[in-house]
Amino acid sequence: MGERVIIEVEGLVKHYSEVKAVDGVSFSVEEGEIFGLLGPNGAGKTTLMEILCGLRRFDSGKVTIRGFDLIKDSLKVRGLIGFCPQETLLYDLLNVRENFAFSASLYSLSSKKFKERVEFSSKFLGVGEFLNRRVQQLSGGMKRRANLAASIIQDPPIVILDEPTIGFDPNVKREFWELIKNLKGYGKTVVLSTHDMYEADEICDRVAIMDKGKIAALDKPHALKKTIGGEPSIRIRVKDSQTKKALSILEEYHGALRDNEVHISARNPWEIMTKVSSKLATKGVFTEKIEVVEPTLEDVFIKLTGRKLTEESE
């Protein structure tokens, strides 16, 4: 195990009756990185994260956290991880500070350390403005921030987040992305699960793409898009009645129809985009929209599995 590796997972398997929720998964997480598990619902992400946190037993394999065996050294591992699940685990009738105090008591934090952690949460996680408000009075975004702060009150080196921004509107989601980046800037190692390709691309240093309990690919987002996602594409929209005609006119470019648009893959899309537009115009077909789109992690997932990332797993 390398000097910078903080989590090592080897051949992990977890069954639920006949279903393998986690099927021979192996990966490592380096200290100080944001590591993402990207996949649709049912891919095994939550089961894997609960195993890492010691909340769920596994059938075979090995997990090492900072050199400690997850099973044999469970008490030592416990203080190294802060787990923030999708559900808010705060008490509605207590205010935020009181919830923090309860969480701190589980780790026997001194009053000095507790004060330091509240100050940290106020500064880096933005909870200072509502410390004395009851949880039931908070907005969804505030609750999620408070939930995150409570889950890392003991100042763990590793933070595990299960679908941290699910249900957020785009603006709140981006604010939460900045909070996660702040954690990394403060020296934390972050492991998060998500089915949001933009989230994984925006904040993760490396991404493991999961499907049906297996890791299908693992690398930096830009490397995955470059090596697996394919070439950039030109996407052309014309009037519905002319879409098939446009495809026929552009036959030499081997285009395909998707979502009422003509898609053309090209290594040099900017060079041929003007030619494509002019060729259509000379045949009386005028474009309503023409754009160059770089490959995304969605394209990577489609290439690996044959279906969209947003589709529900059976």
Side-chain angles (χ1 to χ4, degrees):
M1 193 163 64
E3 291 183 4
R4 294 196 65 236
V5 171
I6 194 169
I7 299 174
E8 184 83 10
V9 177
E10 304 173 67
L12 204 63
V13 174
K14 173 63 181 178
H15 290 84
Y16 293 115
S17 298
E18 300 300 318
V19 178
K20 275 188 178 180
V22 179
D23 188 4
V25 166
S26 298
F27 65 91
S28 61
V29 179
E30 294 187 358
E31 189 169 4
E33 76 171 332
I34 300 178
F35 184 90
L37 298 170
L38 175 65
N41 295 334
K45 306 187 304 295
T46 295
T47 297
L48 179 53
M49 302 194 92
E50 290 177 348
I51 288 172
L52 294 179
C53 297
L55 298 176
R56 193 173 297 278
R57 290 190 174 275
F58 50 93
D59 299 317
S60 61
K62 185 178 181 181
V63 179
T64 308
I65 310 290
R66 260 201 178 173
F68 296 113
D69 186 277
L70 181 63
I71 302 301
K72 296 176 182 177
D73 305 308
S74 58
L75 291 178
K76 293 179 181 177
V77 171
R78 180 171 172 260
L80 298 176
I81 295 175
F83 177 49
C84 186
Q86 294 180 33
E87 303 81 14
T88 300
L89 300 180
L90 305 173
Y91 293 98
D92 282 346
L93 297 181
L94 298 180
N95 66 33
V96 173
R97 189 189 298 273
E98 289 167 340
N99 270 282
F100 289 173
F102 174 75
S103 297
S105 70
L106 300 178
Y107 296 95
S108 302
L109 261 62
S110 67
S111 57
K112 179 182 178 182
K113 183 66 174 178
F114 174 67
K115 182 179 179 181
E116 290 175 356
R117 297 304 297 159
V118 172
E119 290 176 354
F120 168 84
S121 297
S122 297
K123 181 178 180 181
F124 287 94
L125 301 180
V127 302
E129 62 189 270
F130 50 82
L131 274 172
N132 298 315
R133 291 172 61 180
R134 287 186 179 183
V135 171
Q136 65 182 8
Q137 299 172 326
L138 304 181
S139 67
M142 290 176 178
K143 284 183 181 179
R144 201 72 68 87
R145 276 189 275 167
N147 198 43
L148 172 58
S151 69
I152 61 171
I153 198 70
Q154 80 277 28
D155 196 16
I158 301 168
V159 181
I160 296 182
L161 310 173
D162 189 12
E163 297 278 4
T165 64
I166 191 169
F168 282 177
D169 66 51
N171 290 333
V172 177
K173 183 175 288 190
R174 289 192 172 276
E175 288 177 8
F176 214 81
W177 290 352
E178 292 305 313
L179 298 182
I180 295 171
K181 291 177 183 178
N182 284 346
L183 290 175
K184 176 185 175 178
Y186 198 72
K188 304 297 182 185
T189 300
V190 180
V191 179
L192 65 89
S193 69
T194 182
H195 62 264
D196 185 332
M197 63 175 178
Y198 298 109
E199 180 165 277
D201 202 355
E202 174 72 21
I203 67 176
C204 293
D205 298 304
R206 288 190 302 144
V207 174
I209 295 180
M210 288 195 71
D211 182 48
K212 297 179 180 178
K214 295 179 179 288
I215 290 181
L218 194 165
D219 209 331
K220 295 179 180 179
H222 71 84
L224 289 171
K225 290 183 291 184
K226 182 177 181 179
T227 59
I228 302 174
E231 297 175 337
S233 65
I234 301 172
R235 299 186 183 180
I236 307 157
R237 181 177 295 169
V238 298
K239 291 182 179 180
D240 289 343
S241 60
Q242 294 184 307
T243 302
K244 290 184 179 180
K245 182 179 179 181
L247 184 64
S248 177
I249 294 169
L250 301 175
E251 183 179 6
E252 66 182 280
Y253 296 104
H254 308 290
L257 284 180
R258 295 179 193 166
D259 302 323
N260 294 319
E261 293 180 344
V262 177
H263 288 210
I264 299 173
S265 295
R267 292 182 181 179
N268 53 346
W270 297 105
E271 292 181 18
I272 69 172
M273 187 166 64
T274 302
K275 296 178 182 178
V276 165
S277 184
S278 297
K279 189 166 188 177
L280 288 172
T282 58
K283 299 292 185 178
V285 178
F286 298 95
T287 58
E288 293 183 345
K289 183 187 77 171
I290 182 167
E291 62 180 350
V292 173
V293 179
E294 297 292 334
T296 66
L297 290 177
E298 175 89 50
D299 296 315
V300 174
F301 189 82
I302 291 172
K303 288 285 181 68
L304 292 171
T305 69
R307 64 185 199 282
K308 291 184 178 181
L309 181 62
T310 51
E311 289 178 3
E312 295 288 332
S313 297
E314 296 182 358

